[in-house]
């Protein structure tokens, strides 16, 4: 059956990959794809900026576990995708980005809207392709999805010239993918499992550090079984939030620069760290030379490149987190760790997350607490980046994987709202909330048009402190309050801005207005909502580990 490459790609995505929605923005180099899309049943969400397409595909992937798909035209369309692709790459999120390219005969001639998309995205993709032979299109698309969703997941880009989109081919899909040099290892080595079990048996102060890899491998239940069997505290990275319910008795919160003090003290005082699907990034470890000085480390990761990259493990296990945990549950012996738990409970009592409540001004921590209570902890929470992100992580206790969505590795301002759009499209029956700052929300505010057009009831709660809060905090603490270019004294009226896009908006200035307004927003189900909450400008996020500092040298408040 002859069809254009564009038609064949759409047919493949629907029938072979089960793709139901793609996010994109049309242009000249992809007009052939959009023409084919016009006659298909594949849902397309028209974003208002290509960066929004990448972030929306990312949010869709994080919240559903499926591969997210985005598309943009050549030149500026492709370059506008790069921040979103890099965000997905840093957090190991499976997306396939399709970009248009100038026609084959024009490549390399500085043609209109031509850039070297492969070269630009090579450092920020798991793999990328340029299709010059139309007959290779289906093989390459199949490989792209396979690479994105296997092993350590990540973004894959496929660059397609405009004439290739329109070329006629036979619809023939290869039966399998066989890539030389790409053979992810899923099963743990039995000897390494045995060595890990012996270390766990000998440990007096074991702790489990769960990262995003636990969520990516759908290993939450195995993690809980393992933790319960050895009665060990579980701390997470920011990306690992939700791998264990944060209301579980073994949960000790997340570690790192703004993690709970008791979590940081616990991991630093442990004698054995069982790290699962983590990168040991600087935001988690602080000064790596002083991180957990008395601990042996078992490091489980599907990517062998992560083993030994930042810390040297005593027992490395290259394997899928789910399969490794299944094997560990079978072989480890039950433990009690009574004295260790006494110490942890002492830290929890002495160093809880806390802030000073006020009746005169609205505290951002209190806002997150009220959102948590009024949603009964069931909402999908997406964040922007900055203070709003850290307060959301600290005070919204998530119950399940894929419930907390944030830009961890790249720290991308403007990520939250388009990612929330993707999450809402992938979870029509759930409440999706974007916790935002007044700075970061403006970076992709145009996506209000997308959300309004799709009638998506995303709730945007802006913690409005009239500044770039996290940078201002650093200026206060380390630069003698020289607030250089961080005070946002001119800002839009977000309530009226929401109305201009056909959405709902309200402003909250008094603490007694807060609960009623949150409930009002939660009950709207046919449109996006902005709630502009005026909070204290000089409120800081604590605990805090100064950049380059040791994890045990926290600023508590």
């Amino acid at each position: 059956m002859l069809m254009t490459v564009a038609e064949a790609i759409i047919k493949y995505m629907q029938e072979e990959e089960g793709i139901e929605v793609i996010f994109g923005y049309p242009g000249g180099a992809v007009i052939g794809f959009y023409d084919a899309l016009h006659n298909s049943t594949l849902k397309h969400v028209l974003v208002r900026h290509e960066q929004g397409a990448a972030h929306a595909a990312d949010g869709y992937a994080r919240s559903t576990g499926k591969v997210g798909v985005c598309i943009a035209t050549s030149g500026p369309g492709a370059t506008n995708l790069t921040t979103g692709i890099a965000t997905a790459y840093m957090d190991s999120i499976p997306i396939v980005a399709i970009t248009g390219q100038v026609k084959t005969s024009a490549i390399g001639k500085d043609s209109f809207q031509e850039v070297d998309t492969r070269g630009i995205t090579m450092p920020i993709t798991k793999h990328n392709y340029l299709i010059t032979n139309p007959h290779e299109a289906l093989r390459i698309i199949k490989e792209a999805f396979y690479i994105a969703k296997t092993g350590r997941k990540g973004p894959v880009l496929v660059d397609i010239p405009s004439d290739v989109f329109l070329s006629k081919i036979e619809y023939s899909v290869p039966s399998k993918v066989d890539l030389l040099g790409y053979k992810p290892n899923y099963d743990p080595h039995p000897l390494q499992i045995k060595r890990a079990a012996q270390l766990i048996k000998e440990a007096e102060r074991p702790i489990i550090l769960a990262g995003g890899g636990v969520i990516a491998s759908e290993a939450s239940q195995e993690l809980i079984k393992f933790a319960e069997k050895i009665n060990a505290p579980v701390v997470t990275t920011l990306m690992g939030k939700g791998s264990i319910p944060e209301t579980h008795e073994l949960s000790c919160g997340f570690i790192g620069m703004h993690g709970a003090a008791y979590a940081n003290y616990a991991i630093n005082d442990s004698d054995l760290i069982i790290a699962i699907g983590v990168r040991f990034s600087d935001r988690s470890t602080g000064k790596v030379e002083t991180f957990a000085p008395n601990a042996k480390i078992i490091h489980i990761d599907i990517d062998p490149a992560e083993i030994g990259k930042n810390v040297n493990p005593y027992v490395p296990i290259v394997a899928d987190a789910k399969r490794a945990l299944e094997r560990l549950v079978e072989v480890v012996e039950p433990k009690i760790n009574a004295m260790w738990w006494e110490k942890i409970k002492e830290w929890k009592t002495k160093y809880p997350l806390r802030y000073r409540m006020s009746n005169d001004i609205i505290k951002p921590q209190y806002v997150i607490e009220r959102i948590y209570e009024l949603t009964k902890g069931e909402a999908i929470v997406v964040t922007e980046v900055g203070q709003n992100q850290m307060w959301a992580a600290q005070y919204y206790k998530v119950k399940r994987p894929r419930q907390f969505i944030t830009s961890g590795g790249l720290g991308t301002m403007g990520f939250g709202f388009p990612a929330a759009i993707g999450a809402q499209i992938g979870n029509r029956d759930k409440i999706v909330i974007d916790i935002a700052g007044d700075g970061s929300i403006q970076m992709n505010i145009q996506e209000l048009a997308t959300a309004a057009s799709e009638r998506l009831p995303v709730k945007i709660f802006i913690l409005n402190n009239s500044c770039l809060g996290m940078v201002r905090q650093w200026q206060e603490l380390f630069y003698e309050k020289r607030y250089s270019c961080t005070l946002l004294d001119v800002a839009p009226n977000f309530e009226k801005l929401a109305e201009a896009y056909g959405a709902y908006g309200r402003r909250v200035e008094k603490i007694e207005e807060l609960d009623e307004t949150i409930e009002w927003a939660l009950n709207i189900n046919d449109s996006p909502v902005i709630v502009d909450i005026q909070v204290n400008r000089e409120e800081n996020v604590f605990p805090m580990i100064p950049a380059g500092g040791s994890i045990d040298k926290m600023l508590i408040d």
Side-chain angles (χ1 to χ4, degrees):
M1 181 170 57
L2 284 177
M3 58 179 63
T4 67
V5 167
E7 291 170 333
I9 290 172
I10 291 169
K11 179 179 174 68
Y12 172 81
M13 289 195 298
Q14 287 186 284
E15 295 183 1
E16 303 294 330
E17 299 292 342
I19 301 300
E20 299 173 343
V21 60
I22 63 173
F23 304 87
Y25 200 90
V30 290
I31 198 167
F33 181 90
Y34 275 86
D35 185 63
L37 193 64
H38 185 71
N39 295 321
S40 80
T41 58
L42 182 62
K43 179 174 176 56
H44 176 272
V45 175
L46 177 64
V47 297
R48 296 326 193 250
H49 189 286
E50 290 91 351
Q51 185 182 142
H55 289 326
D58 183 323
Y60 178 88
R62 293 187 199 229
S63 65
T64 64
K66 302 174 183 178
V67 178
V69 181
C70 57
I71 182 167
T73 193
S74 65
T79 58
N80 282 345
L81 282 180
T82 55
T83 296
I85 293 171
T87 301
Y89 180 74
M90 290 290 283
D91 291 343
S92 304
I93 306 303
I95 68 172
V96 170
I98 299 171
T99 52
Q101 184 54 272
V102 299
K103 63 182 180 179
T104 309
S105 61
I107 292 175
K109 299 180 179 179
D110 292 335
S111 303
F112 176 68
Q113 290 194 333
E114 180 192 3
V115 297
D116 179 9
T117 305
R118 280 200 73 197
I120 289 169
T121 60
M122 193 171 292
I124 56 168
T125 53
K126 188 175 175 184
H127 194 58
N128 63 16
Y129 295 89
L130 170 64
I131 301 178
T132 55
N133 182 347
H135 300 288
E136 293 182 342
L138 286 174
R139 173 186 64 80
I140 287 173
I141 287 293
K142 185 180 181 73
E143 288 178 5
F145 277 91
Y146 176 77
I147 293 168
K149 66 187 179 182
T150 57
R152 180 179 181 174
K153 299 174 174 63
V156 178
L157 180 134
V158 184
D159 198 32
I160 308 177
S162 58
D163 56 318
V164 172
F165 270 126
L166 298 174
S167 299
K168 292 288 185 76
I169 61 170
E170 288 227 8
Y171 186 80
S172 178
V173 180
S175 59
K176 64 177 182 177
V177 172
D178 187 12
L179 295 169
L180 185 66
Y182 181 69
K183 309 290 181 185
N185 181 67
Y186 288 87
D187 293 311
H189 194 287
L191 179 60
Q192 297 301 81
I193 290 291
K194 184 178 179 180
R195 291 181 63 202
Q198 184 62 33
L199 277 186
I200 293 167
K201 180 180 179 180
E202 295 169 357
E204 296 179 355
R205 302 185 305 280
I207 194 167
I208 298 169
L209 173 59
V214 174
I215 294 170
S217 66
E218 308 290 351
S220 177
Q221 290 305 309
E222 288 73 19
L223 172 69
I224 294 168
K225 289 177 184 176
F226 174 61
E228 290 176 343
K229 188 167 184 180
I230 66 171
N231 196 34
V234 180
V235 294
T236 74
T237 63
L238 187 65
M239 295 302 301
K241 265 181 72 77
S243 54
I244 184 172
E246 293 186 300
T247 53
H248 193 287
E249 62 181 0
L250 298 181
S251 174
C252 290
F254 75 99
I255 65 165
M257 179 172 279
H258 295 291
Y262 51 81
N264 284 334
Y265 284 133
I267 197 163
N268 216 50
D269 195 49
S270 65
D271 64 357
L272 178 67
I273 298 172
I274 307 154
I276 311 161
V278 304
R279 295 184 295 121
F280 287 105
S281 77
D282 58 299
R283 282 298 192 262
S284 293
T285 64
K287 186 178 181 181
V288 71
E289 293 82 3
T290 59
F291 175 70
N294 300 312
K296 293 178 180 178
I297 296 173
I298 298 168
H299 191 180
I300 301 169
D301 205 287
I302 198 165
D303 184 359
E306 286 301 330
I307 305 293
K309 186 177 80 174
N310 293 326
V311 301
N312 292 317
Y314 199 82
V315 177
I317 300 176
V318 178
D320 173 68
K322 188 183 185 78
R323 297 192 194 181
L325 285 168
E326 287 172 343
R327 290 292 297 121
L328 282 171
V329 169
E330 292 173 1
V331 301
V332 294
E333 298 179 12
K335 291 173 67 70
I336 298 175
N337 306 314
M339 293 181 65
W340 180 221
W341 273 109
E342 284 182 18
K343 185 65 176 175
I344 289 172
K345 288 172 183 176
E346 179 184 325
W347 281 322
K348 280 191 169 186
T349 302
K350 190 174 181 180
Y351 302 108
L353 287 171
R354 60 184 178 222
Y355 61 95
R356 295 177 180 86
M357 188 59 182
S358 171
N359 293 322
D360 301 320
I361 54 176
I362 303 174
K363 292 298 185 89
Q365 302 95 324
Y366 178 72
V367 174
I368 305 299
E369 286 183 332
R370 295 312 301 148
I371 293 172
Y372 171 73
E373 293 292 338
L374 293 170
T375 58
K376 299 180 175 59
E378 293 292 340
I380 293 175
V381 176
V382 189
T383 81
E384 301 290 343
V385 165
Q387 287 181 316
N388 61 86
Q389 175 188 33
M390 294 297 106
W391 284 318
Q394 289 176 339
Y395 290 95
Y396 200 101
K397 298 177 182 179
V398 300
K399 297 181 177 181
R400 60 186 186 275
R402 307 193 182 282
Q403 188 187 355
F404 185 80
I405 297 170
T406 196
S407 172
L410 197 62
T412 306
M413 290 179 69
F415 166 83
F417 181 35
I421 288 173
Q424 187 74 83
I425 285 176
N427 299 268
R428 294 276 186 172
D429 58 336
K430 292 184 173 64
I431 293 173
V432 177
I433 289 170
D434 176 30
I435 303 296
D438 52 305
S440 57
I441 191 61
Q442 294 185 70
M443 289 200 167
N444 275 310
I445 195 71
Q446 77 284 338
E447 299 308 326
L448 270 171
T450 304
S453 175
E454 295 288 334
R455 302 180 69 83
L456 300 174
V458 175
K459 328 295 182 188
I460 307 167
F461 292 100
I462 300 174
L463 305 179
N464 192 338
N465 54 14
S466 300
C467 65
L468 302 177
M470 189 61 83
V471 184
R472 186 216 57 77
Q473 176 171 331
W474 283 47
Q475 289 172 334
E476 175 188 339
L477 297 175
F478 309 119
Y479 292 88
E480 299 178 346
K481 294 190 176 182
R482 292 191 296 275
Y483 297 149
S484 177
C485 305
T486 51
L487 304 184
L488 304 177
D489 293 323
V490 176
N493 182 320
F494 288 107
E495 184 177 0
K496 291 183 178 179
L497 184 63
E499 293 171 0
Y501 277 100
Y504 295 95
R506 277 195 188 178
R507 181 182 173 98
V508 177
E509 297 179 340
K510 298 177 181 178
I511 197 166
E512 57 267 24
E513 301 170 341
L514 185 62
D515 277 17
E516 186 273 329
T517 306
I518 293 172
E519 289 179 333
W520 165 80
L522 294 177
N523 286 321
I524 290 174
N525 56 22
D526 62 349
S527 174
V529 187
I530 288 181
V531 178
D532 180 13
I533 306 168
Q534 303 298 300
V535 299
N536 181 28
R537 171 177 276 184
E538 296 203 344
E539 189 72 17
N540 290 331
V541 181
F542 290 113
M544 178 183 182
I545 302 169
S550 297
I551 197 170
D552 60 336
K553 305 295 183 184
M554 289 169 284
L555 304 177
I556 302 297
D557 56 24

